[in-house]
Amino acid sequence: MTERLTADDAGIARAAELLLAGGTVALPTETVYGLGADATRSNAVAAIFAAKNRPSFNPLIVHVPAREEAEALALFDDRARQLARAFWPGPLTLVLPRKAASGLSELVTAGLPSVALRVPSHPVATALLRRAGRPLAAPSANPSGRLSPTDAAHVIDGLDGRIDAVLDAGPTQRGVESTILGVFADGLHLLRPGGVPVEQIEAIAGPVQHSTGGQITAPGQLASHYAPGASLRLNATQPQEGELWLGFGPDAAAADLNLSPSGDLVEAAANLFAALHRLDARAAGGAIAVAPIPESGLGCAINDRLRRAAAPRS
Ligand code: TXA
Ligand code: MG
């Protein structure tokens, strides 16, 4: 059952309690309602993808109450700090190098070495982030492929029964998602146009490259999308000579690592990127065989990422 919570002290306290228990809670931001979960827990993050029925694991934006909390998760250079001072709190998301000791789930960044960070300006979002004391991953709170929700009724229409709670603070003000800006070594890149016009960013930080043509970047289109050094062979019911074997389910008891010995797709999704990183380090440029994953529920997203990781590279 999805709890309807009023955005008062009691409602915010209950929302924080559910989040700390690994639950999913839809929360208001100044742009759209986000579907939040503890960004440090892979199972909680996997539950976001399951609730949205998302067919691939896009990296998610991590929300924090202020720049101080953001600096614990990512490396800020002078450009990043200047942008944060100018536009936070507000609808600007910065993509920055993730700190090694950030504690963030690998699933939230889809295995990337970078992390997208945002400090929302909605007072209820700020209060909940402070109360929970954890960074929250939050994509828009709608089923995959549907419109982003700008009030709690939209959230209920799409996700009733699939999430733990919605924190109702009335309609959001902006209705368009945050601007996503990559702060990369070779300059600033507009990854998604949004609530902060690019002209305002350029006025403060200089020229911004529109390298993606203004389209939302799916992770498979990101230059830096996760590809292991090892080659991957999919749908492998057993390993061949010299291959490491990434298993799934009880039939793969002999695997080097098993995404979920019981065959649970939420658990498998939560383990996916960390498992690939670990086997990749052990394979040292060799090969990894991956057991078949059912093409249903979160299995679709797992297979999407595996196919991208296995695709030939230039
Ligand atoms: O306004 C918003 O930004 C809303 C509210 C809820 O805060 N959130 C939102 O989040 O739109 P989400 O998770 O749907 O945005 C995810 C997008 C990805 O599809 C990708 O384009 C970009 O953020 N992204 C996330 N992490 C990235 C990374 N490490 N590198 C490049 N792009 C990244
Ligand atoms: Mg969305």
Side-chain angles (χ1 to χ4, degrees), residues 31-32 34 58-61 63 95 112 114-116 118 138-140 177-178 180 191-192 217 222:
T31 59
V32 300
N58 293 356
L60 302 179
I61 296 173
H63 298 67
V95 176
L112 294 169
S114 56
V115 59
R118 155 157 152 72
S140 54
E177 284 93 341
S178 62
I180 304 182
L191 301 179
R192 179 178 78 182
T217 0
L222 296 173

Side-chain angles (χ1 to χ4, degrees), residues 118-204:
R118 155 157 152 72
V119 175
S121 66
H122 197 296
V124 173
T126 310
L128 179 58
L129 286 162
R130 291 231 178 273
R131 185 88 186 215
R134 298 282 168 83
L136 298 180
S140 54
N142 52 278
S144 185
R146 301 256 306 266
L147 287 177
S148 293
T150 53
D151 70 26
H154 297 158
V155 176
I156 291 293
D157 276 352
L159 296 175
D160 195 16
R162 302 180 64 87
I163 62 177
D164 292 307
V166 56
L167 188 56
D168 186 351
T172 63
Q173 292 197 315
R174 301 222 179 200
V176 57
E177 284 93 341
S178 62
T179 302
I180 304 182
L181 189 72
V183 183
F184 300 148
D186 70 345
L188 303 176
H189 291 250
L190 182 66
L191 301 179
R192 179 178 78 182
V196 175
V198 71
E199 295 83 353
Q200 285 185 22
I201 296 171
E202 293 190 313
I204 293 217

Side-chain angles (χ1 to χ4, degrees), residues 12-271:
I12 290 168
R14 176 65 182 151
E17 180 181 46
L18 288 166
L19 289 165
L20 289 175
T24 48
V25 175
L27 63 132
T29 80
E30 75 278 25
T31 59
V32 300
Y33 274 73
L35 181 56
D38 182 347
T40 67
R41 288 168 70 159
S42 288
N43 271 297
V45 178
I48 292 178
F49 289 102
K52 285 179 63 91
N53 219 343
R54 204 157 177 164
S56 68
F57 294 130
N58 293 356
L60 302 179
I61 296 173
V62 175
H63 298 67
V64 288
R67 182 166 56 86
E68 290 64 48
E69 286 80 3
E71 295 220 16
L73 305 176
L75 294 166
F76 279 66
D77 62 12
D78 289 345
R79 297 170 302 166
R81 221 162 261 143
Q82 185 187 29
L83 287 160
R85 285 212 183 88
F87 296 106
W88 282 356
L92 176 67
T93 294
L94 297 177
V95 176
L96 300 170
R98 169 180 146 146
K99 275 193 178 167
S102 69
L104 292 170
S105 154
E106 291 268 359
L107 190 57
V108 88
T109 52
L112 294 169
S114 56
V115 59
L117 293 172
R118 155 157 152 72
V119 175
S121 66
H122 197 296
V124 173
T126 310
L128 179 58
L129 286 162
R130 291 231 178 273
R131 185 88 186 215
R134 298 282 168 83
L136 298 180
S140 54
N142 52 278
S144 185
R146 301 256 306 266
L147 287 177
S148 293
T150 53
D151 70 26
H154 297 158
V155 176
I156 291 293
D157 276 352
L159 296 175
D160 195 16
R162 302 180 64 87
I163 62 177
D164 292 307
V166 56
L167 188 56
D168 186 351
T172 63
Q173 292 197 315
R174 301 222 179 200
V176 57
E177 284 93 341
S178 62
T179 302
I180 304 182
L181 189 72
V183 183
F184 300 148
D186 70 345
L188 303 176
H189 291 250
L190 182 66
L191 301 179
R192 179 178 78 182
V196 175
V198 71
E199 295 83 353
Q200 285 185 22
I201 296 171
E202 293 190 313
I204 293 217
V208 171
Q209 301 179 44
H210 298 236
S211 38
T212 63
Q215 289 301 302
I216 293 178
T217 0
Q221 299 163 325
L222 296 173
S224 53
H225 86 271
Y226 179 66
S231 63
L232 289 193
R233 187 170 67 85
L234 305 185
N235 291 313
T237 47
Q238 48 185 351
Q240 291 167 359
E241 179 79 32
E243 285 179 334
L244 292 172
W245 192 25
L246 179 58
F248 174 80
D251 294 344
D256 293 279
L257 270 183
N258 196 317
L259 289 172
S260 169
S262 67
D264 173 4
L265 287 167
V266 173
E267 182 185 27
N271 288 332

